[in-house]
Amino acid sequence: MSYQDEWLLLEEEDDIDEIEHRQPTEEFLFYQAVTNGDLEAVRKNCEEERFLDSEGVGVLSRNPVTNLKYHFVITTAMITRLCKQKGMELEQAFRMSDFYIQKLDDIHTVQGVRNLHDEMVLDYTEKMRKIRRSDTNSRHINICKEYIYSHIKERITIEDLADELGVSSSYLSRLFKKETGDSVSAYIRAQKIEMAKNLLHYSDYSMIDIANRLSFSSQSHFIQQFREYVGMTPKKYRDLNHTLQWDIDTEEDAAGK
């Protein structure tokens, strides 16, 4: 029997009439809260454990953990696309999605999936909050920012960006400064330093590895630029902030999984 025929038989059974899904209003309002950067509303949703409430939610697997993982993927996919529509850079949105969905492989409890879900939605919400507060840029500048994010590991010049947009370097330089308050080079440098902070925080890459990875001209140049931007050397920053792992599943680990 084909799946289509099996569905037609299932559709005629009395039991299916007893299954009612939630009205989409609540789901829509939750997604809207994330894309609007409404941390208070999203935190409340997490505290009330709405993600674990199975009433009015489709059963996608007979295994409760697998079922929740499927719903996690759906939620992440929806949030990713809606955040992109509301101004998040395309690559950032999808790379975050890939990251959090891949983390599901290491989780084997309902509570673990719930913890990851809360981390994920709050991460997107916090980023959208910053974007909503500052997103007054034109299409050209948003494309520039998208390009810079996607090519952050490369050496990027104003000429590269101008070629991407099909405009002159001088025009783009004036427009970028007018709309962001920063020069193109200052913005690129700031984005590279922010990426370097993440690498210092969460990885064991050496200073020279980070300098090369982000296309600084030398290790000494990287250290100089980092100190000017952050107010301390990369080594000092790592000593204060280094984290070796993400403890998303702390309750699961404590239970001796």
Side-chain angles (χ1 to χ4, degrees):
M1 180 186 297
S2 70
Y3 289 126
Q4 185 177 10
D5 291 339
E6 187 176 347
W7 162 248
L8 291 174
L9 287 175
L10 179 63
E11 195 175 24
E12 296 300 322
E13 293 182 3
D14 293 337
D15 290 346
I16 202 169
D17 293 334
E18 299 177 6
I19 301 174
E20 291 188 8
H21 289 75
R22 282 181 199 163
Q23 291 295 316
T25 305
E26 179 183 349
E27 186 178 15
F28 172 77
L29 291 174
F30 173 70
Y31 290 146
Q32 190 176 53
V34 173
T35 58
N36 285 340
D38 189 344
L39 282 170
E40 183 178 350
V42 174
R43 284 199 184 105
K44 182 179 179 182
N45 184 282
C46 294
E47 289 167 1
E48 293 175 351
E49 298 188 339
R50 293 297 293 155
F51 181 63
L52 297 183
D53 189 350
S54 60
E55 183 178 353
V57 176
V59 177
L60 307 180
S61 171
R62 289 181 290 274
N63 181 293
V65 177
T66 303
N67 181 62
L68 207 60
K69 285 186 175 186
Y70 287 152
H71 282 289
F72 180 101
V73 172
I74 293 169
T75 299
T76 307
M78 289 295 296
I79 287 174
T80 298
R81 283 150 182 80
L82 291 170
C83 286
K84 168 62 181 71
Q85 290 178 9
K86 294 291 186 176
M88 182 176 282
E89 292 164 352
L90 177 67
E91 282 301 323
Q92 181 182 29
F94 281 106
R95 288 176 188 179
M96 284 178 64
S97 172
D98 293 346
F99 170 80
Y100 281 109
I101 290 174
Q102 287 171 15
K103 287 297 175 182
L104 284 174
D105 289 344
D106 303 321
I107 296 176
H108 309 287
T109 66
V110 166
Q111 188 61 39
V113 179
R114 181 253 172 158
N115 292 344
L116 183 65
H117 166 271
D118 293 355
E119 290 271 357
M120 181 270 294
V121 297
L122 287 168
D123 194 2
Y124 272 101
T125 305
E126 288 172 355
K127 286 179 170 57
M128 287 305 300
R129 184 167 178 257
K130 293 178 182 178
I131 291 169
R132 301 283 285 184
R133 284 181 168 182
S134 62
D135 187 18
T136 57
N137 298 325
S138 67
R139 177 176 173 274
H140 275 166
I141 300 307
N142 284 331
I143 291 174
C144 274
K145 289 182 174 181
E146 180 78 47
Y147 183 94
I148 291 166
Y149 182 87
S150 300
H151 297 78
I152 195 65
K153 296 175 185 175
E154 303 169 16
R155 182 176 178 273
I156 307 168
T157 67
I158 183 69
E159 288 76 22
D160 296 328
L161 296 169
D163 288 344
E164 182 73 11
L165 291 169
V167 298
S168 70
S169 301
S170 57
Y171 167 78
L172 182 57
S173 180
R174 290 194 303 272
L175 182 65
F176 200 96
K177 179 70 173 180
K178 177 182 177 182
E179 293 198 18
T180 70
D182 290 323
S183 67
V184 172
S185 59
Y187 180 84
I188 293 170
R189 182 168 58 250
Q191 297 308 301
K192 285 181 179 288
I193 296 299
E194 288 298 325
M195 182 65 73
K197 286 165 67 177
N198 288 336
L199 292 171
L200 292 165
H201 197 157
Y202 297 112
S203 82
D204 288 319
Y205 287 126
S206 67
M207 301 303 159
I208 187 63
D209 287 339
I210 294 174
N212 290 336
R213 189 175 181 83
L214 294 173
S215 296
F216 284 92
S217 59
S218 65
Q219 179 179 342
S220 60
H221 181 240
F222 163 59
I223 293 172
Q224 175 196 351
Q225 294 291 306
F226 191 96
R227 181 167 37 206
E228 288 181 5
Y229 184 82
V230 181
M232 65 181 74
T233 65
K235 183 180 184 304
K236 179 68 172 178
Y237 183 86
R238 169 168 276 170
D239 290 342
L240 293 173
N241 298 285
H242 193 214
T243 300
L244 290 178
Q245 61 183 3
W246 292 65
D247 295 324
I248 292 171
D249 235 352
T250 51
E251 292 189 21
E252 181 176 303
D253 294 338
K257 181 194 70 145

